[in-house]
Amino acid sequence: MNLHDHWIDGVSVAPADGARLERVSPADGRVIAAAALGTAGDLDAAVVAARRAFDTGPWTTLPGSQRGEVLLRLAALIEENLEALAFLEAEEAGKPLAVGRSELQFGIELIRYAASLASGLSGRLLSESGPEAMGLVLQQPLGVIGVICPWNYPAVCLLQKLPFALAAGCAVVAKPSELTAGTTVQIARLAREAGLPDGQFNVVIGTGEVVGEAMTAHPGIDKISFTGSGRIGRRIAAKCGESLKRYSLELGGKGANIIFADADLDAAVEGAFQGFTINKGEECCAGSRILVEESIAGDFTARLLARCAAARLGGVRDEEAEIGPLIHEQHLQKVLSFIEGARADGARLLCGGERLTGGDYAKGTYLPPTIFTDVRPDMTLFREEVFGPVAALMTFRTLDEAVQIANDTTYGLANGIWTGSLDKAMAMTRRLQSGMLYVNTYLELVPQLPFGGMKSSGMGHENGPEGLQEFLTTRSAFIRLRTAF
């Protein structure tokens, strides 16, 4: 069993009162970890360390290229320890090991990309005010950043924030989920080994009700960067508004995966399957509303159901598994309640719908791919984020109808388009109301592209140059010279 302690000012810190949360494996019910449960006092100690590091430490004043070198060393260390980190990530979050590996590899790409941005920071010189005056526009690190990460992608969500904040010159206090804290703590250790100064990156494990609330209210934190539910995101926005603290929010979604008749059907079936089952559906960008052009609906549905029937579910040690267990029993019961609600509303179940029991599944929280049809826009299944491998299959006749169905949601995080027509793809790209759009693929990311939502899916961006801008502040200086230049 792993013990996860806080990481504050470059050292491991055990919980002062001994309070820990035991993490039970979602695959088989074993106790696999015990994480420290932090207090407001632990959070304060971490903020004090981060504040000192930012205000007086060397990191902020280092040339960006040198900050980038440390980040590159961190990426190399994660790569050296990839297998151990991937297993830790997969076991705690309920993923097949291959999925854990791919997520850590993407995290490495994010760090290397952020390192490349660090050396490119620049301001502007304005000389239009006459020969005896000039203006300077400065971009400087924002300060101490409070990072709050969810349990579904512990490493990726951290690494979409941390390296960009560090590249900008900020200090960071991170609160991982108490359920999946392992990789965050280990990355903090590796960051120190890579040469990051003490206090520059701190980790306080704990609940949102205690550590998250303390972080949002703490006057020593300059910005909150949050990934999680819309309910908590709204609370964070309200709390930050009280003190005018900056914040960025990456929240939930209810994506539409739209398949036109001229699509490559084999690719579209696989893309639709992956779109709602990847990470067992615990995915904010999930394409959980599958919209199929009516003329191909029968063929597409038959192929998709066959693909779901062939899917292999299993735990971290099953190298052939595609879909892992849901995060814990309470969440499984919540997803099952959505399924029962869809049945009660009149939706027709095509596959799945029941937890797997017996054999290797007896002590786990496994739910097979579940698809409903005859879904109406007024149904809860259409409107609310389920966060499990559950999809609503619907049909459309025209492009306009597909746009109307897809946009009929308060969310705006991601949508997918499958078509052989570039004109159709561009028309849909312009009209669909989401921050992310995938054409003939789904949930494929590269670090260079900004990631963020519209409407109630959040505000702000991660990744891309925009991800760095989230951790910078702009200042201006007007300078009157004694002599002309």
Side-chain angles (χ1 to χ4, degrees):
M1 181 178 71
N2 296 311
L3 291 179
H4 303 320
D5 289 332
H6 311 305
W7 184 263
I8 300 174
D9 209 8
V11 297
S12 182
V13 178
D17 57 3
R20 293 185 181 276
L21 175 74
E22 287 189 341
R23 174 64 175 133
V24 174
S25 167
D28 56 25
R30 293 177 301 111
V31 176
I32 55 176
L37 284 178
T39 66
D42 295 319
L43 189 279
D44 185 65
V47 174
V48 168
R51 193 82 252 170
R52 187 208 68 245
F54 179 77
D55 291 340
T56 66
W59 186 256
T60 303
T61 57
L62 279 179
S65 59
Q66 292 184 29
R67 293 200 294 269
E69 288 172 3
V70 174
L71 289 173
L72 290 175
R73 287 198 292 272
L74 172 59
L77 286 169
I78 292 176
E79 196 164 45
E80 289 175 18
N81 293 273
L82 181 65
E83 200 66 16
L85 288 169
F87 186 87
L88 184 60
E89 178 92 347
E91 186 174 50
E92 292 189 356
K95 305 170 186 280
L97 183 56
V99 175
R101 287 193 195 103
S102 67
E103 290 175 11
L104 265 297
Q105 287 164 345
F106 181 59
I108 291 168
E109 293 178 24
L110 287 166
I111 297 172
R112 288 177 173 154
Y113 177 68
S116 74
L117 296 177
S119 59
L121 291 172
S122 62
R124 301 197 308 275
L125 171 66
L126 306 176
S127 57
E128 290 82 7
S129 302
E132 296 180 356
M134 65 179 182
L136 292 177
V137 180
L138 309 173
Q139 285 194 311
Q140 295 183 314
L142 184 56
V144 175
I145 310 299
V147 166
I148 303 176
C149 293
W151 42 255
N152 60 330
Y153 287 104
V156 169
C157 286
L158 174 71
L159 296 177
Q160 286 184 309
K161 307 172 190 292
L162 173 69
F164 294 88
L166 294 177
C170 295
V172 173
V173 178
K175 190 206 87 64
S177 167
E178 64 277 19
L179 299 175
T180 56
T183 46
T184 300
V185 174
Q186 293 305 315
I187 289 170
R189 292 178 181 273
L190 294 177
R192 187 177 192 274
E193 186 177 341
L196 192 69
D198 292 345
Q200 205 69 44
F201 175 36
N202 308 272
V203 179
V204 180
I205 308 167
T207 65
E209 292 82 1
V210 176
V211 177
E213 288 281 348
M215 180 181 285
T216 305
H218 202 292
I221 289 180
D222 299 295
K223 175 177 178 172
I224 298 292
S225 180
F226 171 79
T227 299
S229 73
R231 179 178 65 85
I232 301 301
R234 290 181 179 87
R235 180 169 178 80
I236 287 173
K239 293 288 288 185
C240 289
E242 294 174 6
S243 59
L244 298 183
K245 189 192 304 292
R246 297 193 190 187
Y247 59 90
S248 55
L249 307 172
E250 197 275 283
L251 308 176
K254 193 70 180 177
N257 217 346
I258 305 166
I259 294 90
F260 286 95
D262 61 359
D264 178 331
L265 202 55
D266 289 336
V269 167
E270 184 63 24
F273 170 79
Q274 296 293 341
F276 83 96
T277 64
I278 194 168
N279 204 43
K280 53 278 180 31
E282 294 170 345
E283 160 65 61
C284 54
C285 290
S288 56
R289 293 178 300 151
I290 304 172
L291 313 184
V292 186
E293 193 164 353
E294 193 173 82
S295 62
I296 61 165
D299 188 12
F300 178 89
T301 301
R303 295 191 192 200
L304 181 59
L305 292 178
R307 179 65 180 93
C308 290
R312 183 181 177 98
L313 281 73
V316 63
R317 292 175 174 82
D318 185 349
E319 288 281 359
E320 302 300 319
E322 299 177 277
I323 303 173
L326 297 185
I327 189 69
H328 51 55
E329 181 66 28
Q330 295 93 321
H331 185 62
L332 172 61
Q333 293 303 320
K334 180 180 178 181
V335 174
L336 289 172
S337 73
F338 275 105
I339 292 172
E340 290 308 308
R343 284 173 164 151
D345 286 342
R348 181 163 58 93
L349 183 67
L350 295 180
C351 67
E354 302 286 343
R355 75 181 298 169
L356 298 183
T357 58
D360 293 338
Y361 304 122
K363 297 181 180 179
T365 49
Y366 293 94
L367 182 69
T370 298
I371 299 177
F372 283 92
T373 190
D374 296 340
V375 177
R376 303 185 309 273
D378 64 319
M379 290 182 179
T380 299
L381 183 64
F382 180 93
R383 310 213 69 82
E384 294 189 21
E385 185 179 39
V386 175
F387 225 58
V390 182
L393 183 63
M394 308 174 71
T395 61
F396 65 90
R397 293 183 179 180
T398 67
L399 184 149
D400 287 344
E401 185 183 5
V403 170
Q404 189 276 325
I405 295 171
N407 287 343
D408 186 14
T409 173
T410 60
Y411 293 107
L413 190 54
N415 287 303
I417 308 154
W418 298 83
T419 177
S421 165
L422 179 60
D423 289 342
K424 194 178 296 181
M426 290 306 300
M428 295 292 287
T429 296
R430 292 181 180 277
R431 294 178 64 183
L432 292 176
Q433 298 168 355
S434 59
M436 293 298 302
L437 292 157
Y438 302 100
V439 179
N440 294 328
T441 186
Y442 205 81
L443 297 177
E444 187 175 355
L445 292 176
V446 292
Q448 295 84 357
L449 277 177
F451 173 80
M454 298 170 60
K455 301 194 284 188
S456 62
S457 287
M459 58 188 66
H461 289 89
E462 296 176 338
N463 309 349
E466 292 81 358
L468 184 69
Q469 291 297 319
E470 292 287 342
F471 303 108
L472 294 169
T473 186
T474 300
R475 301 176 61 210
S476 298
F478 185 82
I479 303 171
R480 176 66 64 185
L481 304 174
R482 292 184 178 180
T483 58
F485 62 92

